Amino acid sequence: MEENVTVWEVFIQSKNGLAHKHAGNVHASDKVMALDNARELYTRRNEGSCIWVVKSEYIVSSETEDSEAFFDPSNDKMYRHPTFYTMPEGSKHI
Amino acid sequence: MNEKYFQERIDAEKKIEPKDWMPDDYRKHLIRQISQHAHSEIIGMQPEGNWITRAPSLRAKMILLAKVQDEAGHGLYLYSACETLGISREKLVQQLHEGKAKYSSIFNYPTLSWADMGAVGWLVDGAAIVNQVSLQRTSYGPYSRGMVKICKEESFHQRQGYEIMAEMAKGTAEQKAMAQDALNRFWWPSIMMFGPQDSDSPRSGNAMKWKIKRQTNDALRQDFIDKTVGQAEVIGLTIPDPDLKWNEERQSYDFGEMDWEEFWSVVNGNGPCNKQRLAHHKKAYDQGKWVRDAAKAYAKKQELVAN
């Protein structure tokens, strides 16, 4: 069996000004090929204005199973939301 | 404990992601199903590729090329989803070549006339869409996301096939006969694409419990038949089943017995094109080896230069 080819994660910006969004991955031996393959695979219908490719091995992910504990610190800080505050009656544009 | 937590997530319609704990059999079932699905897309390029050079117009040729390229893309989405389960693409291809992994039996039938491009798009892609729409709700995240992407692209495939059939059906008597002949040959294999009847389908129990599959083979098949009968009537073609008739009570079509002996014979390697399809895939893979080797050597050299 042949040795595995490098896997690259693909991020596509659908329109100028928007954020890049994860689309999937491609196999490629180098970065130029990764970009070409990503274009052929993920933008056959004009879905993009810019593509990023990143070697999958460089992606670091949090664990779904630990998500409760991991995101816990933000749960009890309701004062980060604007609805937390009481505004004086009659005040406008705030 | 793990298994209970897993089932609770499934029951709550939560998606399972690659790094989540999952039962071994869930993983195995997914690898078998997704790889079979991926191989089907890839092998499925052959019966249509057969007509690219002989398409009757430039328009038809461009459309067919785009469609076959889409099938390649769909195969790659699915291989990617399958790899997240911890199996390499190289291994998946090896399993196909060794006959350990299957692909949809429908692609072991030959495409004898241009009308077959119509029948394949209309019926084979039509049946695949019914299955894939249902699989958008599958419990495994990467598979589900792949299905969403594929469904978005697939409906052009079915419409181009139906357009070919409609054109031929209103053409000369000879053209209409070709369209009818294509329908006659592809109808039964298409409805058997949904797999054995529920009563003979030993694997569906867990697949339904784990929500890998969301509807049974028989339910999907009925859905496809109910959608398709009217489409045949509109273009003046006849579905080759004398027992096909509307059941007022069920609000569905009753249909005749499927030939399961033929189905299993084709699954087990005795269809008209099994050997040819696999031999062609192996040949293309072997002939591409020098390209893969060269690409790897080039990448290695670039790394050396950079360091």
Side-chain angles (χ1 to χ4, degrees), chain B residues 52-113:
Chain B
I52 291 175
T53 56
R54 292 173 289 160
S57 69
L58 183 59
R59 177 183 185 268
K61 190 194 288 265
M62 289 193 303
I63 291 170
L64 194 56
L65 265 172
K67 181 172 187 285
V68 171
Q69 194 194 3
D70 270 357
E71 312 290 5
H74 296 173
L76 295 180
Y77 299 155
L78 285 157
Y79 283 132
S80 280
C82 202
E83 285 169 286
T84 63
L85 292 157
I87 184 164
S88 73
R89 194 170 301 186
E90 289 75 8
K91 181 88 190 160
L92 292 169
V93 172
Q94 189 190 8
Q95 288 179 345
L96 173 69
H97 288 173
E98 288 171 353
K100 287 181 192 153
K102 303 247 185 261
Y103 54 88
S104 179
S105 274
I106 192 84
F107 302 117
N108 289 320
Y109 291 90
T111 44
L112 304 175
S113 81

Side-chain angles (χ1 to χ4, degrees), chain A residues 2 4 23 25 27 44-45, chain B residues 70 80 83 149 153 292:
Chain A
E2 289 181 35
N4 294 354
N25 62 38
H27 285 210
R44 288 195 299 279
R45 287 169 175 77
Chain B
D70 270 357
S80 280
E83 285 169 286
K149 218 178 296 225
E153 300 185 351
R292 295 191 295 278

Side-chain angles (χ1 to χ4, degrees), chain B residues 28-45 70-83 85 87 89 92-93 95-96 100-107 124-138 140 142-152 154 157 193-194 203 212-214 220 281:
Chain B
K28 270 188 216 148
H29 190 112
L30 277 171
I31 290 177
R32 194 185 55 240
Q33 180 170 332
I34 301 175
S35 72
Q36 178 170 336
H37 202 156
H39 297 324
S40 299
E41 298 280 358
I42 298 299
I43 297 290
M45 293 194 284
D70 270 357
E71 312 290 5
H74 296 173
L76 295 180
Y77 299 155
L78 285 157
Y79 283 132
S80 280
C82 202
E83 285 169 286
L85 292 157
I87 184 164
R89 194 170 301 186
L92 292 169
V93 172
Q95 288 179 345
L96 173 69
K100 287 181 192 153
K102 303 247 185 261
Y103 54 88
S104 179
S105 274
I106 192 84
F107 302 117
V124 176
D125 288 305
I129 289 171
V130 167
N131 188 34
Q132 289 169 164
V133 164
S134 177
L135 286 171
Q136 288 182 115
R137 291 166 52 238
T138 189
Y140 188 57
Y143 193 25
S144 160
R145 292 189 284 277
M147 286 297 106
V148 170
K149 218 178 296 225
I150 287 174
C151 285
K152 248 188 241 164
E154 195 89 47
H157 297 186
M193 276 173 71
F194 296 98
R203 289 199 188 102
I212 294 174
K213 288 179 75 166
R214 302 309 305 259
L220 293 165
H281 191 275

Side-chain angles (χ1 to χ4, degrees), chain A residues 1-5 7 23-25 27 29-30 33 40-42 44-45 47 61-65, chain B residues 19-21 69-70 73 76-77 80 83 88-91 94 149 153 156 285 292 295-296 298-299:
Chain A
M1 202 170 64
E2 289 181 35
E3 80 183 91
N4 294 354
V5 170
V7 181
N25 62 38
H27 285 210
S29 52
D30 67 82
M33 189 192 282
E40 295 301 318
L41 188 56
Y42 294 105
R44 288 195 299 279
R45 287 169 175 77
E47 291 95 335
S61 167
S62 62
E63 309 278 338
T64 329
E65 286 152 49
Chain B
K19 290 167 79 185
D20 296 345
W21 184 90
Q69 194 194 3
D70 270 357
L76 295 180
Y77 299 155
S80 280
E83 285 169 286
S88 73
R89 194 170 301 186
E90 289 75 8
K91 181 88 190 160
Q94 189 190 8
K149 218 178 296 225
E153 300 185 351
F156 120 64
Y285 190 76
R292 295 191 295 278
K296 275 179 208 161
Y298 176 76

Side-chain angles (χ1 to χ4, degrees), chain A residues 27-92:
Chain A
H27 285 210
S29 52
D30 67 82
K31 58 189 179 183
V32 178
M33 189 192 282
L35 267 182
D36 283 345
N37 288 355
R39 183 197 58 200
E40 295 301 318
L41 188 56
Y42 294 105
T43 61
R44 288 195 299 279
R45 287 169 175 77
N46 226 0
E47 291 95 335
S49 58
C50 180
I51 299 176
W52 291 345
V53 289
V54 182
K55 281 187 186 173
S56 302
E57 58 184 292
Y58 294 141
I59 304 272
V60 181
S61 167
S62 62
E63 309 278 338
T64 329
E65 286 152 49
D66 303 339
S67 70
E68 228 166 277
F70 192 74
F71 294 106
D72 181 58
S74 64
N75 276 344
D76 54 357
K77 295 182 180 61
M78 285 307 292
Y79 45 84
R80 283 203 165 121
H81 299 276
T83 47
F84 179 79
Y85 300 91
T86 318
M87 293 292 102
E89 192 110 350
S91 58
K92 283 178 183 166

